Structure formats: structure tokens, C-alpha cells
Amino acid sequence: METWDAITSRRNVRQYEGRPLQETDLERILEAGWRAPSSRNWQPWDFIVVTERAELIELSKVWRGGAHVAESSATVAIVVQQSDDQHARETARFDVGQASMQMMIAAADLGIASGHSAVGDQELARQILGFPEDRYVVIMIDFGYPADRPLSPIRHPNRRPLDEVVHRGRW
Ligand SMILES: Cc1cc2nc3c(=O)[nH]c(=O)nc-3n(C[C@H](O)[C@H](O)[C@H](O)COP(=O)(O)O)c2cc1C
């Protein structure tokens, strides 16, 4: 797929076929996140990738809207260090956003759909995933083949009008 097609085809998918991803595809998605830019290249993240169905089902319980995690073929939990420093917290979340998006676009390029899932119960996530006490999951990104239809460019995305969002020169 062309980069532009991957960008315009990506959409949040909440129902997956469930068939496994090829290991090389999963590695490429993870490498895309690993390559993401971050503030001063501090790479505040660790990625925990889950592919076992039983573990995915458990993981789907950390958020009431997380049913798509249970059905996914792989879910990546992006984990960062807790911090009392607001700047560090905000920077980490910005950087995690970049890593997330890079993984999602790399996935779309392979025809693999993705979705975000928040984490409501960090303690349950910790029990399942085993990350240290001083870390937490910012977001989980689930991956898989869409159950409804293959990814293809979306002509009219559900967005605020472009000319309302874009200000040229000044507000
Ligand atoms: C930070 C963030 C958190 C999100 N959390 C969830 C979530 O917990 N559950 C969910 O179904 N979708 C979640 N979404 C997906 C958004 O609802 C979705 O991206 C938005 O509606 C635009 O649709 P699209 O991704 O299909 O273009 C999240 C998106 C972002 C960026």
C-alpha cells in the first residue's frame, strides 16, 4: 500500500476475524513503534505484546469498552514510568501517541486494522501483564484483520471540516 493509502485507510476497528498475524507483520508493527520519534530520544515506552487468546480475553477486562481487545490477534500495551513531574507525564503521553500512530499506520500498510483501548483498571492490567509498580499502561493498541470489510481509503471521514481546523498564517 502507498503511505497515503495507509493513512486514509486506517480506521478504528472494533470487531476482528481473530486469525493470527504473521510473525513478520507483527515484528514490523513493533519496529514501527520502536522507530518513533520522542523528546530528546528518551523513548519512554515499553511495549508488551499479547497474542494468546486467553490472555487477550483477560486483558479486555481492564476497560469496560475493551471487547475488541479480546477478539484481536495481537494487542500492544504501551507502558511508561509513573512521574510526579507534569512535564514528563505530558511529554511521555505525547510520545506514546506518536509511537501508537506509527504502529497503526504500519499495520494499515499491511492491511491490518487497529483500535485504541484505554485502561481503567491499572492494577488488573499489572496482574495480567506483570509490569513493575512504578509503571502504568497509557494505552493499548489492538491489531487484527477486520471482521466487516478490508481496509480501504475512506473518502469522507467523520471529521470537522478541514477549513475549520486549518488556520493559515494566524487564527
Ligand atoms: C487516546 C485515544 C483513546 C481512545 N480510546 C478508545 C477506547 O477506549 N475505546 C474505543 O473503542 N475507541 C477508542 N479510541 C478511538 C476513537 O474513538 C477513534 O479514533 C475516533 O472515533 C476516530 O475514529 P477512527 O479512528 O476510526 O478514525 C481512542 C482514540 C484515542 C486517540
Side-chain angles (χ1 to χ4, degrees):
M1 211 185 264
E2 294 293 326
T3 307
W4 183 245
D5 289 341
I7 289 169
T8 56
S9 298
R10 186 218 56 83
R11 60 186 165 90
N12 253 258
V13 164
R14 297 184 176 91
Q15 284 181 312
Y16 296 105
E17 279 181 6
R19 70 185 153 99
L21 304 182
Q22 286 183 20
E23 186 54 32
T24 49
D25 288 351
L26 185 55
E27 280 170 11
R28 176 171 289 195
I29 291 166
L30 293 164
E31 181 173 341
W34 172 76
R35 284 178 179 267
S38 62
S39 173
R40 291 171 285 113
N41 199 24
W42 71 325
Q43 305 160 70
W45 43 62
D46 285 82
F47 307 146
I48 306 178
V49 57
V50 177
T51 55
E52 290 287 325
R53 183 63 53 208
E55 191 175 357
L56 288 165
I57 290 169
E58 283 310 296
L59 199 55
S60 72
K61 297 174 185 165
V62 305
W63 174 244
R64 59 188 156 73
H68 38 99
V69 169
E71 285 185 7
S72 69
S73 303
T75 290
V76 178
I78 307 184
V79 175
V80 306
Q81 188 133 30
Q82 315 253 23
S83 174
D84 295 331
D85 177 353
Q86 186 185 352
H87 177 71
R89 281 201 308 275
E90 288 176 358
T91 305
R93 294 180 79 87
F94 181 89
D95 290 341
V96 164
Q98 302 199 90
S100 304
M101 202 60 212
Q102 195 135 298
M103 284 193 261
M104 294 175 121
I105 298 298
D109 180 55
L110 298 164
I112 295 167
S114 56
H116 303 80
S117 188
V119 174
D121 189 340
Q122 290 285 340
E123 280 315 308
L124 181 57
R126 194 187 315 282
Q127 277 172 34
I128 298 165
L129 300 172
F131 53 86
E133 284 288 323
D134 63 344
R135 312 282 163 126
Y136 74 106
V137 182
V138 176
I139 192 82
M140 299 191 301
I141 311 293
D142 36 273
F143 297 96
Y145 295 101
D148 53 356
R149 62 189 187 282
L151 295 184
S152 65
I154 299 167
R155 210 175 290 270
H156 299 295
N158 175 18
R159 295 295 189 263
R160 290 168 53 209
L162 184 63
D163 60 3
E164 179 189 305
V165 173
V166 176
H167 304 258
R168 294 182 189 266
R170 56 186 276 123
W171 184 280

